[in-house]
Amino acid sequence: MCGRFTLRISHKRLAVLYGVIAVPELARRYNIAPTQRIAAVVETERSRVLKMFRWGLIPVWAKEPAIGAQLINARAETVAEKPAFRHAFKQRRCLICADGYYEWQKTGRGKEPWFIQLRGGIPFAFAGLWESWLPPDAGKPIETCTLLTTEPNELVRPLH
C-alpha cells in the first residue's frame, strides 16, 4: 500500500524520461498525500501526455466525490473484479510519476516512516488507473486516479 510518495525531479527530465511533448513546470514535492494533484503519463492516439489527476479514484457511478479518498490504491490481483475499478481497468491506464515513497513500520512507539527509493534516486512510475467523474450537478468533470499495488517484495516486506 502506498499512502505517501515523492516527485523531486524537474519537469524537463520528466519529459525526456517518458517521451512527453509538453510538461508543465512542477514544483518538487516531498510528501504527496491522498486527494492532492499528482502527475501521470497517459497515452493518447497521437502521443503521450502528462496530466494532473486528483489522487483517489472516483468511480463513474459515484454520487459524491468523498469516496475517492478511500480509493487511493487498487490491488492488482483483484482490480479487474472490483466495481470501483473495473471500468478504468479496461479503458484508462496511466503511469504515475514518482521517485520515492514511504512505508511505515509498526514499532513499540507507534509507526516509524521509512523512505524507499531506487538506487541513485532515479525516477520510476507506479502503474495506475484514471477516471473522469461528472458531478451530479453537471459541473466540470473531475479527473482522478489510483495506484495499483501488490504484495511487497522481500526488501520491503519487513516494513510493510
Side-chain angles (χ1 to χ4, degrees), residues 23-37:
V23 177
E25 193 159 336
L26 302 171
R28 289 192 162 105
R29 298 177 65 199
Y30 297 87
N31 192 14
I32 300 169
T35 73
Q36 292 181 346
R37 299 197 41 83

Side-chain angles (χ1 to χ4, degrees), residues 4-87:
R4 301 282 174 124
F5 66 95
T6 63
L7 183 60
R8 303 161 294 163
I9 67 171
S10 73
H11 67 288
K12 290 179 183 177
R13 190 165 171 209
L14 268 179
V16 171
L17 184 65
Y18 293 107
V20 178
I21 296 169
V23 177
E25 193 159 336
L26 302 171
R28 289 192 162 105
R29 298 177 65 199
Y30 297 87
N31 192 14
I32 300 169
T35 73
Q36 292 181 346
R37 299 197 41 83
I38 61 176
V41 177
V42 176
E43 188 92 25
T44 68
E45 290 180 18
R46 295 184 186 152
S47 64
R48 291 182 184 159
V49 296
L50 187 118
K51 294 182 79 168
M52 298 302 290
F53 292 101
R54 181 176 138 182
W55 184 17
L57 190 130
I58 304 172
V60 293
W61 46 260
K63 299 206 182 329
E64 58 184 57
I67 192 172
Q70 299 169 14
L71 300 175
I72 63 169
N73 294 322
R75 296 282 305 183
E77 296 86 355
T78 59
V79 70
E81 305 158 10
K82 300 290 183 181
F85 306 117
R86 191 179 312 138
H87 187 258

